[in-house]
Amino acid sequence: MRATLSLLCATWLLVFPGLPAAELQLSTLENFHFKSWMMQHQKEYSTKEYHHRQQIFASNWRKINAHNKGNHTFKMALNQFSDMSFDEIKRKYLWSEPQNCSATKSNYFRGTGPYPTSVDWRKKGNFVSAVKNQGACGSCWTFSTTGALESAVAIASGKMLSLAEQQLVDCAQDFNNHGCQGGLPSQAFEYILYNKGIMGEDTYPYEGKDGHCRFQPQKAIAFVKDIVNITLNDEEAMVEAVALYNPVSFAYEVTEDFMSYKRGIYSSIPAMAALSRACAQLSS
Ligand SMILES: *[C@@H]1O[C@H](CO)[C@@H](O)[C@H](O)[C@H]1NC(C)=O
Ligand SMILES: *[C@@H]1O[C@H](CO)[C@@H](O)[C@H](O)[C@H]1NC(C)=O
Ligand SMILES: *[C@@H]1O[C@H](CO)[C@@H](O)[C@H](O)[C@H]1NC(C)=O
């Protein structure tokens, strides 16, 4: 197992978001796309909200198109969040409480390179599990943990399992994790190691809310043998670990350009700046 981390997530407040500063005049095409997006996502609004959501949608749509015309390493697209402003997404899905940024101690010593320019575990075999949806619970840290462990197990055994995030939400509190209020993959790996295993999605299904621990040792299907923490911000160590071992769990600050992420290599200058700021605050 490799791990660095900490992250993005939850607490949700239902606050009606502010309208974009100036009223946007929608083109026929934008109107058409809004209506088909509404149908695709089965959205229904009151007459008043319709106008409000249409405005936000148009603003997002324009940002996506502008981004995709540029020379970037990743593409954007409409998704289920496209009628929400980033402020609203922040309030609904991102952590508002201060969190530890990363594993507090690291023990990964990298070589001096050269490092490969790219590695894609999805192309090597069935080693990367499908994307799951955390819902309205600040449990991103559990999905990061299961995703990395699912890959490590698949690479070691050839078996692609789906592991139980809900067990981590319900049971990993003694390791400084806080269920739907956040946690750290490094601490979740420590929990699985100490607990002697994690159950599967089938025997401990995801609920997306805090609950009491229902771990049954005889139903554990995956185990952690060793945990390695990569030093905060050491991207070359991450590259090396991914190339030599398996996909790693890592965390970054979610900024506005991430809400419409579609594919490619995500890279955000504002996100990097925000992350160093957040960590500087935590360490000072
Ligand atoms: C696009 O970006 C790549 C990599 O940063 C660069 O090599 C290429 O020259 C750029 N293309 C244009 C048209 O700016
Ligand atoms: C951050 O880590 C410290 C030291 O392990 C711990 O005392 C504190 O509770 C942690 N904070 C959170 C939000 O988990
Ligand atoms: C890795 O980080 C976790 C928590 O973030 C910590 O409990 C553990 O001791 C660290 N491991 C090493 C070997 O430093």
Side-chain angles (χ1 to χ4, degrees):
M1 278 316 348
R2 326 264 121 198
T4 15
L5 35 118
S6 125
L7 336 213
L8 40 140
C9 291
T11 64
W12 57 99
L13 287 170
L14 292 173
V15 180
F16 212 60
L19 274 171
E23 184 88 354
L24 302 175
Q25 294 303 318
L26 271 69
S27 69
T28 319
L29 186 67
E30 286 170 335
N31 260 315
F32 169 79
H33 279 291
F34 182 53
K35 290 205 175 94
S36 30
W37 178 89
M38 278 181 68
M39 269 167 70
Q40 191 190 341
H41 295 277
Q42 292 162 10
K43 296 279 180 184
E44 279 174 25
Y45 308 116
S46 66
T47 320
K48 194 172 154 219
E49 205 187 0
Y50 182 91
H51 178 71
H52 179 71
R53 293 294 159 194
Q54 189 192 42
Q55 287 283 308
I56 297 174
F57 177 91
S59 156
N60 286 331
W61 166 259
R62 289 176 193 185
K63 284 178 194 159
I64 291 167
N65 288 333
H67 172 92
N68 288 344
K69 280 194 198 114
N71 187 21
H72 298 287
T73 56
F74 71 101
K75 290 285 179 198
M76 291 186 179
L78 295 173
N79 57 30
Q80 67 267 42
F81 306 115
S82 300
D83 66 345
M84 292 168 81
S85 67
F86 183 60
D87 274 348
E88 201 179 352
I89 286 179
K90 264 204 296 212
R91 282 193 294 265
K92 197 164 175 187
Y93 297 107
L94 305 190
W95 286 337
S96 58
E97 297 304 312
Q99 298 280 333
N100 287 328
C101 272
S102 176
T104 40
K105 282 184 293 177
S106 62
N107 59 335
Y108 185 76
F109 299 102
R110 65 174 155 92
T112 50
Y115 307 108
T117 49
S118 81
V119 178
D120 188 344
W121 277 98
R122 296 169 304 176
K123 293 187 178 144
K124 294 182 187 227
N126 186 23
F127 297 137
V128 180
S129 49
V131 174
K132 304 180 190 179
N133 188 343
Q134 75 191 66
C137 162
S139 55
C140 55
W141 59 280
T142 69
F143 288 88
S144 187
T145 304
T146 54
L149 189 51
E150 282 157 2
S151 285
V153 169
I155 292 163
S157 74
K159 268 186 272 181
M160 178 49 80
L161 306 173
S162 188
L163 303 174
E165 293 79 23
Q166 193 64 41
Q167 181 186 330
L168 302 175
V169 170
D170 297 342
C171 312
Q173 276 71 3
D174 287 351
F175 291 77
N176 240 336
N177 298 305
H178 316 282
C180 284
Q181 282 69 52
L184 283 185
S186 61
Q187 292 160 177
F189 291 131
E190 295 287 337
Y191 158 78
I192 300 170
L193 176 69
Y194 172 89
N195 185 61
K196 302 196 171 64
I198 182 169
M199 289 163 61
E201 208 80 66
D202 53 344
T203 57
Y204 204 145
Y206 187 65
E207 291 165 7
K209 55 183 204 283
D210 292 306
H212 67 276
C213 184
R214 286 154 288 161
F215 174 66
Q216 298 170 269
Q218 71 282 9
K219 294 197 178 153
I221 55 169
F223 306 86
V224 167
K225 220 161 71 182
D226 188 22
I227 302 151
V228 180
N229 297 333
I230 296 169
T231 306
L232 182 69
N233 293 333
D234 190 347
E235 295 188 9
E236 284 175 333
M238 277 194 243
V239 167
E240 187 187 84
V242 170
L244 292 180
Y245 304 102
N246 47 247
V248 303
S249 165
F250 81 103
Y252 53 95
E253 173 99 7
V254 169
T255 52
E256 182 168 1
D257 57 3
F258 190 66
M259 69 177 264
S260 305
Y261 170 84
K262 176 66 177 174
R263 63 170 180 274
I265 299 181
Y266 177 66
S267 171
S268 173
I269 309 275
M272 289 308 294
L275 183 62
S276 357
R277 266 204 312 278
C279 293
Q281 270 162 20
L282 274 158
S283 54
S284 59

